[in-house]
Amino acid sequence: MSVELKTREHIRGIRKAGRVVAACHKALSKRLAPGVTTREIDRFVERFMIDRGATPAQKGYKGYPYATCASVNDVVCHGFPDSEPLESGDIVTIDMVADMNGWKADSAWTYIVGKSTAATDKLLHVAKQAMLDGIKMALPGNYVGDIGHAVQKRAEREGFGVVRMFVGHGIGRSMHEFPEVEHFGPPGQGVKLEEGMVITIEPIITTGRPEVYVGMDGWTARTVDGSWAAQFEHTVAITKDGPVVLTRWD
Ligand code: CO
């Protein structure tokens, strides 16, 4: 398998999709509150994208039924939006992919619902920092392993786990392209990063053990030990001027 390198024009296309995703997350950050359901959020996201000329690429992808993944507390990813009202103290990860003129951008964000605790504050802080540490390594000449190593070092130093079962990926015309981006492992290994690669960096960090299992619906992944999980994901272009985050909003 080879990496499809993007031109500046291609990256502009992905950025347009990325702007929709970013604006949508910004809107969600104001909208998520106790009593709101993830099904309502899902409908909001779908409408938000369509109103801006984009489509939710997750819907129908390998049979996935919704525009978003909504993963609450011990759900690590790929949770189905449902009609349970969110409660104060919950954490919820909303993952979405917009398709704009055939170009895709992917970003997940974990939100605190209502009042946080010291534990959820720390989890979210470390998970976001781990993603940012990974992004910093997304430079031409570095290796995919440098990203994973930086993420894992941050998370484990702070006493958190890094989920192994789900990885970042190249993105462009397809949601999932080569290479896979593991969020763990030794530095200096794997695919060499080149100018024109566009990848997602999307570590899932847990308060406990990193083992997960997929439930009976074939999608919803939870921690085995019931610990809570947070995930921050950006779509990132690798350029000679350094990593360019195409889904930035906060
Ligand atoms: Co992704």
Side-chain angles (χ1 to χ4, degrees):
M1 272 246 255
S2 71
V3 178
E4 192 217 350
L5 297 177
K6 275 80 180 177
T7 65
R8 290 171 63 144
E9 202 51 47
H10 296 159
I11 291 172
R12 257 197 286 277
I14 299 171
R15 189 197 291 276
K16 279 189 191 158
R19 286 215 181 97
V20 174
V21 168
C24 192
H25 271 302
K26 189 168 183 181
L28 290 188
S29 69
K30 294 166 191 153
R31 203 172 188 89
L32 279 159
V36 172
T37 73
T38 50
R39 196 65 70 81
E40 289 162 359
I41 292 297
D42 189 72
R43 279 195 288 262
F44 174 83
V45 168
E46 180 158 15
R47 177 90 340 257
F48 190 98
M49 289 188 187
I50 289 168
D51 286 348
R52 285 156 186 80
T55 54
Q58 292 190 156
K59 197 168 179 172
Y61 179 83
K62 295 188 177 167
Y64 186 77
Y66 298 99
T68 60
C69 302
S71 304
V72 180
N73 299 342
D74 66 315
V75 179
V76 301
C77 67
H78 301 169
F80 284 178
D82 66 19
S83 51
E84 280 294 311
L86 292 166
E87 290 176 29
S88 183
D90 284 346
I91 59 173
V92 57
T93 304
I94 307 293
D95 190 0
M96 65 178 82
V97 181
D99 179 315
M100 188 103 169
N101 305 317
W103 293 107
K104 318 269 188 301
D106 185 357
S107 176
W109 213 259
T110 301
Y111 299 95
I112 286 171
V113 179
K115 235 174 113 43
S116 67
T117 64
T120 54
D121 274 341
K122 172 128 198 251
L123 171 65
L124 267 62
H125 174 75
V126 172
K128 188 169 174 187
Q129 215 49 55
M131 173 192 68
L132 294 172
D133 286 356
I135 290 173
K136 280 191 200 129
M137 302 307 286
L139 301 167
N142 275 1
Y143 292 84
V144 165
D146 295 320
I147 296 173
H149 185 70
V151 168
Q152 183 178 21
K153 203 165 82 184
R154 168 76 63 168
E156 292 183 354
R157 185 185 356 143
E158 301 285 347
F160 292 90
V162 179
V163 170
R164 310 291 200 268
M165 196 195 269
F166 301 99
V167 298
H169 47 89
I171 184 165
R173 289 193 178 87
S174 304
M175 187 192 308
H176 292 147
E177 297 183 359
F178 195 74
E180 288 193 348
V181 180
E182 292 181 336
H183 303 104
F184 57 91
Q189 289 193 18
V191 172
K192 193 170 186 171
L193 301 174
E194 283 179 70
E195 192 183 345
M197 289 174 61
V198 178
I199 59 173
T200 71
I201 298 175
E202 51 175 310
I204 304 172
I205 306 304
T206 61
T207 55
R209 301 277 317 157
E211 289 82 13
V212 305
Y213 70 96
V214 175
M216 293 295 288
D217 60 19
W219 286 98
T220 308
R222 293 175 188 273
T223 57
V224 169
D225 66 4
S227 67
W228 286 16
Q231 180 181 30
F232 293 88
E233 170 184 26
H234 272 312
T235 294
V236 180
I238 292 159
T239 78
K240 62 176 177 340
D241 304 319
V244 178
V245 176
L246 303 174
T247 44
R248 169 153 289 155
W249 62 275
D250 69 324

